Amino acid sequence: MVAPSLNLSGQLHRGNDKSLHWISRSESLHKKDMNVSKFKVVVTDHIIRQDGLDLLRAEGGEVVVLRAHSPDEALFEAVEDADGMMARSVTVTARLLELAPKLKVVSRHGVGYENVDLQTCTRLGIAVSISSDANSQSVAEYAFAMMMASAKNIVQSDRAVRANVWARDNSSAVEFHGQTLGIVGLGRIGSRLARLRSGFEMTVLVYDPYATDEAIESCGARRAELDDLLETADFVSLHVPLTEETRHIIGRDELGRMKRSAILVNTARGGLIDESALVDALNEGEIARAAIDVFEEEPLANDHPLTKLDPVICTAHVAGQTQASLVRTSIVAAENILAVLRGDAPEVLVNPEVLENRNRVSWIIDPT
């Protein structure tokens, strides 16, 4: 079996065929003739919605909920006899995994998995899943809202009024009509963002070497190389996973190619942008503004230079969080745990080569 990798759209593919390791729910979930015996799941963050936890309990699970950012010792103790883990912001290290001899699945409450030691999971026979499409609409809407807030100077105007400054000069605001939107990564979120712009008659350029022509055309977009997109777009929005291929995909050279009037939006992963280069680009006027929801190190330091720049909107990695999306994410994360405990593959399996390892899971599906 060829090991999978993530393409720029955030989709899983094997080798050259770019196919998703995606199991339809009709094939893998809720099989009536397969019962899950008593099991224990550790939930690493107390703010995860109850809907998914109730689903686990209804199947006979013992659910242990830890407070977010609990000390390592509390997490180590909790996983000693755990069968599953629902992980949000916690870092799943090799040490943690070695202390959990019964653990069969790490189910990410979200779509990123850079905080999970994937190699160790696979070696031990632990499946790693993500919550696929659960928060895609929320993130796409948030990215568009960030574009709008930045273009219209909404945050700056609010700050001025609160400071008792009635400044009616908003001449630097930008209209969306007729502008060009550049989307880096046309996955579930990028494609939704492309459709959200339809009422503004914007041109959409897409950089994603893995996206099909049909997928790009269905969004009313055009394919472009990254350099061409950066040189042309008035708005650039990032929607790719963080991998070795995409780390600092926007660096000093890329920022230098952008329009001086351009607005850069990142609701994906912090490591996609070289933050030091971004600070310099904003200070030197190489780009006009930025709206950033994710950072290389989180929580963001109080003295981080991006927080000192007026043309920048900073938010606390909240793009994927709405009432509806958090419920969906908790349910999908729980369903993924139940699927693995039944010996089935979750909807999106990050490490499909684990199917060949039966040390911890008695898989009932063909790993090929």
Side-chain angles (χ1 to χ4, degrees):
M1 175 176 288
V2 179
S5 61
L6 274 173
N7 64 29
L8 293 187
S9 303
Q11 297 173 328
L12 290 166
H13 67 87
R14 288 200 195 108
N16 295 323
D17 67 1
K18 311 296 191 292
S19 61
L20 284 171
H21 193 86
W22 190 281
I23 311 297
S24 71
R25 296 198 181 281
S26 61
E27 295 173 352
S28 67
L29 295 180
H30 306 305
K31 293 195 174 183
K32 300 300 182 183
D33 58 342
M34 299 184 60
N35 295 319
V36 179
S37 60
K38 297 293 184 181
F39 60 94
K40 175 182 175 181
V41 174
V42 173
V43 178
T44 67
D45 195 319
H46 67 282
I47 73 168
I48 291 176
R49 292 297 191 268
Q50 287 295 318
D51 304 74
L53 312 191
D54 290 343
L55 179 59
L56 294 171
R57 293 186 181 105
E59 293 287 340
E62 174 192 355
V63 179
V64 176
V65 181
L66 302 179
R67 293 197 63 81
H69 310 295
S70 290
D72 286 347
E73 291 73 18
L75 188 57
F76 293 161
E77 182 179 354
V79 301
E80 286 179 351
D81 58 347
D83 299 281
M85 180 190 303
M86 188 183 296
R88 187 170 176 264
S89 57
V90 68
T91 299
V92 182
T93 63
R95 182 184 178 193
L96 174 63
L97 295 166
E98 296 283 2
L99 291 172
K102 293 179 57 183
L103 192 66
K104 301 171 181 64
V105 55
V106 174
S107 180
R108 278 282 295 118
H109 183 277
V111 295
Y113 59 89
E114 64 274 7
N115 60 338
V116 178
D117 188 328
L118 190 63
Q119 183 176 4
T120 300
C121 283
T122 302
R123 174 174 60 83
L124 295 175
I126 302 168
V128 179
S129 63
I130 60 175
S131 299
S132 61
D133 205 27
N135 67 0
S136 298
Q137 185 64 28
S138 174
V139 177
E141 291 178 4
Y142 197 90
F144 199 82
M146 293 276 267
M147 289 167 49
M148 184 71 76
S150 185
K152 304 300 182 182
N153 295 323
I154 291 173
V155 174
Q156 291 84 351
S157 182
D158 174 77
R159 289 172 184 160
V161 171
R162 292 173 187 270
N164 296 319
V165 177
W166 194 256
R168 293 199 61 209
D169 180 7
N170 198 29
S171 57
S172 63
V174 177
E175 289 188 356
F176 278 50
H177 183 271
Q179 300 277 13
T180 297
L181 167 60
I183 298 176
V184 180
L186 193 74
R188 295 177 292 271
I189 297 169
S191 58
R192 289 173 187 260
L193 177 62
R195 295 186 179 96
L196 284 175
R197 105 300 174 204
S198 60
F200 294 88
E201 299 184 15
M202 300 176 77
T203 299
V204 180
L205 302 178
V206 168
Y207 170 67
D208 189 334
Y210 300 104
T212 65
D213 291 339
E214 181 181 8
I216 293 174
E217 291 168 5
S218 69
C219 297
R222 299 202 315 265
R223 186 186 298 276
E225 294 301 317
L226 181 58
D227 288 350
D228 293 336
L229 181 151
L230 295 173
E231 292 169 359
T232 305
D234 301 290
F235 301 87
V236 176
S237 192
L238 307 182
H239 299 285
V240 298
L242 180 60
T243 66
E244 288 307 310
E245 180 185 6
T246 62
R247 184 175 296 279
H248 288 184
I249 193 172
I250 302 296
R252 202 168 300 276
D253 290 344
E254 289 75 22
L255 290 161
R257 293 181 182 276
M258 294 174 65
K259 289 183 174 182
R260 299 182 76 84
S261 59
I263 296 174
L264 176 63
V265 177
N266 187 13
T267 56
R269 285 293 183 266
L272 301 175
I273 298 175
D274 181 338
E275 291 176 2
S276 176
L278 176 59
V279 170
D280 291 342
L282 289 161
N283 282 327
E284 295 165 11
E286 291 186 341
I287 68 170
R289 307 168 200 179
I292 311 295
D293 182 55
V294 286
F295 301 89
E296 293 196 80
E297 292 189 13
E298 297 179 1
L300 194 63
N302 292 335
D303 59 349
H304 195 289
L306 283 173
T307 66
K308 313 302 180 185
L309 299 179
D310 192 57
V312 179
I313 299 173
C314 298
T315 57
H317 202 151
V318 295
Q321 297 183 33
T322 62
Q323 295 180 38
S325 72
L326 289 172
V327 169
R328 287 195 300 268
T329 304
S330 74
I331 291 173
V332 172
E335 288 176 335
N336 287 338
I337 290 173
L338 293 173
V340 174
L341 296 183
R342 292 187 179 105
D344 218 331
E347 186 178 21
V348 178
L349 179 60
V350 176
N351 56 338
E353 60 269 45
V354 79
L355 297 175
E356 298 175 344
N357 186 336
R358 296 177 178 269
N359 289 340
R360 300 199 182 185
V361 180
S362 298
W363 299 106
I364 62 170
I365 62 174
D366 185 349
T368 60

